[in-house]
Amino acid sequence: MKSKKNKKFDRIIFTEDKLRIVKHYKGEGFLDIKVKKYSFSGDGEFIDIVIELYEEFRTVINEVKVFGNKLFSGEKILKILNIDKNIPLNYYYLSGKRIEIIDEYAAIGYIYAEVNYEILDKESKYRKILYVNINEDKKAYIKEINFDSIPLSVRNICYKENYLNNGDVFTPSAIYELQNNILATGNFKMLSFEALGVEEQSESLIVMFKGSEKRSKWIAGGILYQFADKGKLSAGWGHDNVFNNGEHLSLVSNLLLDVKMNNWINAVLSYKVPYLLNTKLIYLFETEFNRERNELFRNYEFSVKTGIGKKIGFFSIYNNYKYKISILDTNVSNIPIRIQNATTNSAILGLHYDSRNNPFYPLNGFKHYIEFEYAGGILQGYNNYTKYLVEISYYHTLLSRITNAFKIYYGVIIPYGISVNRDISIDEQFTLGGYSSVRGIMQDSLGPVNEIGTRSGKMYLGGNFESRMLIYKIVGLSYFVDAGLLYNEMRSINARNIVFTPGFGIFVKTIIGPVRFDLSRPINVSGPIQFYLNLGNSF
C-alpha cells in the first residue's frame, strides 16, 4: 500500500490501494476476494482506517492437460508453464506463460501460433483443471528484405550487413539481430522495420526497413587543464561514411604544453574499411607521429599499423602488423647525444568486446579487451619481446541517476633474446599516472626512473572505481578512487606499494560528452592536490 502511517491521507491513493489488495489476493488464488467494507475514525487531523475483507476459499489448479501440440512435446509445454499440482490459480501468471509459449513457436517461424486456456471445475469450484489448447498454424517465410526507404548514402551498408535470404524462415529474433547489426555500424540515427503481411497472416512476408543517416562528417575538440602548469589541446576531423560504404577516415591531433614550454605533439591518421573486398572483414591502416621536447631530451616517433579484423556481435577480433621507429636524443651541456634509434616490428592479436549503450557517457554495459603482441624475432627490429594486455570495464546505472563504473587493467612486457640484456627501448615501455589512469598524481609519474630521467616500466597493474550521480537535469557529481603501480618486473610486485588516489568532481552532460572538473590527491604517498578540467570521462 502507498497509504502509510503519518502520511497525508489521499482518497485517490487509498482507492488504488484497495485495488492492489484485491489484485494481490487474486494472484494467490482467492478469486472471490472482496473489500467487504472499510471505515474511518479519528479526530480530524489523524484518522484510523479499518478494512474488512471477504476472502472465501483459495482456488487451485489440480491438473493440466495440453492439446494441439505437434512440434513441441507436452513435457516441454508443461516445463514452460511450470505449474505444480494444487498451485493457486493466477490469471496474470498464466497470461505471461502464454506469451512464453508463443515466443517458443515464433523462434522457429510459427509466428501465428495461438495458445488458449480453458479452465473447468474438477471436483469443486475451488479445484480446477487447466486445458491448454494450442493452434500451431503455419510457418512464415521471408519473401523479401527491402531497404528502398533507406537513404542512398547508407543503403549499401544495409545490404552489406544483411545475412538473410529470400525464402528463409521468418523469425522475429533474426530480424531484430539484423536491425542491431546495422545500427552497430554507427551510421544510423534511426532504424525501424515493418513486416508486411503479418496482419493478413500471410505465409510470405516482406520486411521493410526505414531509417535515417547519422551525420557522417564531424569535427571535434577538447581541452584538459591540470593544475598548476599543464594543459592539453585536442582537435580532430573525420568522415564515417566515405564513398557511401561505411569507410572511416579521421585525423586527430593533440598538443600538451606546460609553463616551461616543454611540449608533446601527437597526430594520428586512420583509415578503416569495414567490408574488405565485399566480405565482413575489416581493414585498418593507421599512421602516427609523436614529438616530445623538453630541457632533458628530444624524442621523435613514427609508426605505421595495418591489419585485418572481424566483428561478431559485440566482439571484435583483429590481427595487426606494426612498424615503428623511435629516435631519442638527450642533452649534455646543450649538446644533443643520440642514445636510442630503435625500430619495432611486431604482430598484434586482439579480442575486443563492447556492449556499452553510449561510448561518450556509458550508463550500462561492458567493455573488455585482451591483446597479445609479438615483436622482433623473425620479424627483425631492435626490440624483442612479447606483450600481454588485459582490461575489463563495467558500467551499471541505478534509479536512472547513479552510474557506477569499474575498471581493472594489467599489462606485462617480457623481453627475450638480445633484449633481455640491453632491455627494450623506452618508447615501448609502459607509463602510468595522470587523468586517464591514476588521477591525483602527475602525468607518467609512477614507476622506476629510466636512463633519461623519466619513469617507465614493463609491468603495470591498476583499477578505477567511480560513481557518477545526476543531481539536477544535466549537472552531476562524481566520487572516484584510482589505484595503480608500475614496476620493471613481476617479481617486484608488492601490494603495499599500490598508490591510491580518491577524489571527487562536478560535471555537465553535453551532446559530445561530459565537461568535468575534478580534484584528487593520493592517500598513501605524499603529493599535492591535482586539479583537472576535461571534456570526457577518464574511462
Side-chain angles (χ1 to χ4, degrees), residues 144-152 155 159 208-210:
E144 180 186 354
I145 301 289
N146 190 296
F147 299 112
D148 290 347
S149 297
I150 300 293
L152 283 172
R155 190 179 301 172
Y159 286 116
M208 177 76 71
F209 277 88
K210 300 178 182 180

Side-chain angles (χ1 to χ4, degrees), residues 90-106:
N90 186 331
Y91 287 102
Y92 306 108
Y93 177 82
L94 291 178
S95 178
K97 290 301 179 180
R98 174 191 281 118
I99 294 173
E100 288 188 33
I101 296 171
I102 290 174
D103 286 345
E104 286 289 329
Y105 278 99

Side-chain angles (χ1 to χ4, degrees), residues 297-533:
F297 65 89
R298 298 179 182 180
N299 186 30
Y300 299 87
E301 297 174 6
F302 175 77
S303 66
V304 175
K305 184 188 296 184
T306 185
I308 300 174
K310 182 174 178 60
K311 188 172 183 180
I312 307 172
F314 292 120
F315 288 92
S316 298
I317 186 169
Y318 51 89
N319 183 22
N320 295 327
Y321 295 91
K322 180 183 77 174
Y323 169 78
K324 179 180 179 182
I325 182 169
S326 174
I327 301 172
L328 179 62
D329 295 337
T330 187
N331 293 327
V332 177
S333 301
N334 294 322
I335 300 175
I337 300 175
R338 182 151 299 174
I339 65 169
Q340 177 179 296
N341 191 345
T343 57
T344 303
N345 303 326
S346 65
I348 303 168
L349 179 65
L351 178 66
H352 183 269
Y353 176 85
D354 192 348
S355 64
R356 295 174 301 167
N357 63 320
N358 186 322
F360 295 112
Y361 194 88
L363 300 179
N364 292 287
F366 291 88
K367 180 186 177 184
H368 312 324
Y369 76 79
I370 302 172
E371 191 171 279
F372 167 74
E373 181 177 357
Y374 169 81
I378 60 174
L379 300 177
Q380 301 298 309
Y382 178 88
N383 289 306
N384 296 265
Y385 63 81
T386 56
K387 181 187 294 184
Y388 304 86
L389 301 174
V390 178
E391 182 178 303
I392 300 173
S393 301
Y394 173 63
Y395 305 85
H396 182 66
T397 297
L398 302 170
L399 306 174
S400 73
R401 301 186 70 85
I402 304 174
T403 300
N404 293 318
F406 305 86
K407 183 175 79 169
I408 56 174
Y409 50 90
Y410 170 75
V412 62
I413 301 172
I414 304 175
Y416 68 88
I418 194 172
S419 292
V420 173
N421 295 321
R422 72 182 182 191
D423 210 348
I424 64 172
S425 59
I426 295 173
D427 62 288
E428 290 294 345
Q429 297 181 30
F430 299 126
T431 58
L432 197 65
Y435 185 77
S436 61
S437 56
V438 184
R439 289 162 286 188
I441 60 174
M442 297 296 292
Q443 185 72 29
D444 302 338
S445 62
L446 283 181
V449 178
N450 55 39
E451 57 187 301
I452 62 171
T454 61
R455 294 181 180 271
S456 60
K458 296 189 290 295
M459 192 288 302
Y460 70 80
L461 175 68
N464 309 86
F465 165 76
E466 181 165 302
S467 185
R468 305 161 186 162
M469 179 177 64
L470 283 174
I471 56 174
Y472 180 73
K473 294 184 178 179
I474 61 173
V475 179
L477 297 175
S478 65
Y479 171 76
F480 56 86
V481 178
D482 296 342
L485 58 78
L486 178 64
Y487 281 145
N488 252 334
E489 46 190 23
M490 293 180 63
R491 61 173 177 265
S492 302
I493 294 178
N494 188 333
R496 291 179 297 181
N497 293 332
I498 297 178
V499 175
F500 292 91
T501 60
F504 62 91
I506 185 171
F507 63 87
V508 178
K509 292 180 65 175
T510 71
I511 59 174
I512 57 174
V515 177
R516 300 180 51 132
F517 176 74
D518 299 308
L519 59 90
S520 178
R521 182 178 181 177
I523 57 175
N524 59 338
V525 297
S526 60
I529 297 177
Q530 301 292 324
F531 299 88
Y532 303 93
L533 177 63

Side-chain angles (χ1 to χ4, degrees), residues 102-118:
I102 290 174
D103 286 345
E104 286 289 329
Y105 278 99
I108 59 173
Y110 288 81
I111 63 173
Y112 305 123
E114 296 179 348
V115 178
N116 297 298
Y117 297 131
E118 188 176 1

Side-chain angles (χ1 to χ4, degrees), residues 173-390:
S173 58
I175 305 301
Y176 284 124
E177 183 178 352
L178 174 58
Q179 180 189 32
N180 289 332
N181 288 349
I182 296 174
L183 284 172
T185 63
N187 295 100
F188 290 81
K189 183 179 180 181
M190 182 277 294
L191 184 70
S192 62
F193 69 86
E194 181 183 3
L196 305 180
V198 171
E199 292 185 2
E200 298 83 4
Q201 294 195 352
S202 173
E203 190 174 355
S204 298
L205 304 176
I206 298 175
V207 183
M208 177 76 71
F209 277 88
K210 300 178 182 180
S212 58
E213 182 184 9
K214 184 180 178 181
R215 182 179 297 178
S216 57
K217 296 179 182 179
W218 52 268
I219 298 175
I223 182 171
L224 168 65
Y225 173 71
Q226 181 177 340
F227 186 83
D229 62 354
K230 281 188 172 60
K232 180 181 177 182
L233 297 175
S234 299
W237 170 90
H239 195 310
D240 294 331
N241 192 23
V242 182
F243 310 124
N244 295 335
N245 197 37
E247 299 179 26
H248 300 263
L249 178 65
S250 65
L251 175 62
V252 178
S253 60
N254 297 282
L255 172 63
L256 183 65
L257 290 169
D258 63 19
V259 294
K260 297 180 180 179
M261 297 307 294
N262 297 323
N263 62 77
W264 172 72
I265 298 174
N266 162 265
V268 181
L269 176 66
S270 296
Y271 178 61
K272 184 170 71 172
V273 182
Y275 310 106
L276 180 63
L277 301 177
N278 289 321
T279 69
K280 288 297 185 70
L281 295 178
I282 300 170
Y283 170 74
L284 171 70
F285 174 84
E286 184 176 281
T287 180
E288 182 174 359
F289 172 76
N290 291 285
R291 187 196 74 178
E292 186 174 4
R293 302 181 65 180
N294 62 30
E295 66 273 17
L296 297 177
F297 65 89
R298 298 179 182 180
N299 186 30
Y300 299 87
E301 297 174 6
F302 175 77
S303 66
V304 175
K305 184 188 296 184
T306 185
I308 300 174
K310 182 174 178 60
K311 188 172 183 180
I312 307 172
F314 292 120
F315 288 92
S316 298
I317 186 169
Y318 51 89
N319 183 22
N320 295 327
Y321 295 91
K322 180 183 77 174
Y323 169 78
K324 179 180 179 182
I325 182 169
S326 174
I327 301 172
L328 179 62
D329 295 337
T330 187
N331 293 327
V332 177
S333 301
N334 294 322
I335 300 175
I337 300 175
R338 182 151 299 174
I339 65 169
Q340 177 179 296
N341 191 345
T343 57
T344 303
N345 303 326
S346 65
I348 303 168
L349 179 65
L351 178 66
H352 183 269
Y353 176 85
D354 192 348
S355 64
R356 295 174 301 167
N357 63 320
N358 186 322
F360 295 112
Y361 194 88
L363 300 179
N364 292 287
F366 291 88
K367 180 186 177 184
H368 312 324
Y369 76 79
I370 302 172
E371 191 171 279
F372 167 74
E373 181 177 357
Y374 169 81
I378 60 174
L379 300 177
Q380 301 298 309
Y382 178 88
N383 289 306
N384 296 265
Y385 63 81
T386 56
K387 181 187 294 184
Y388 304 86
L389 301 174
V390 178

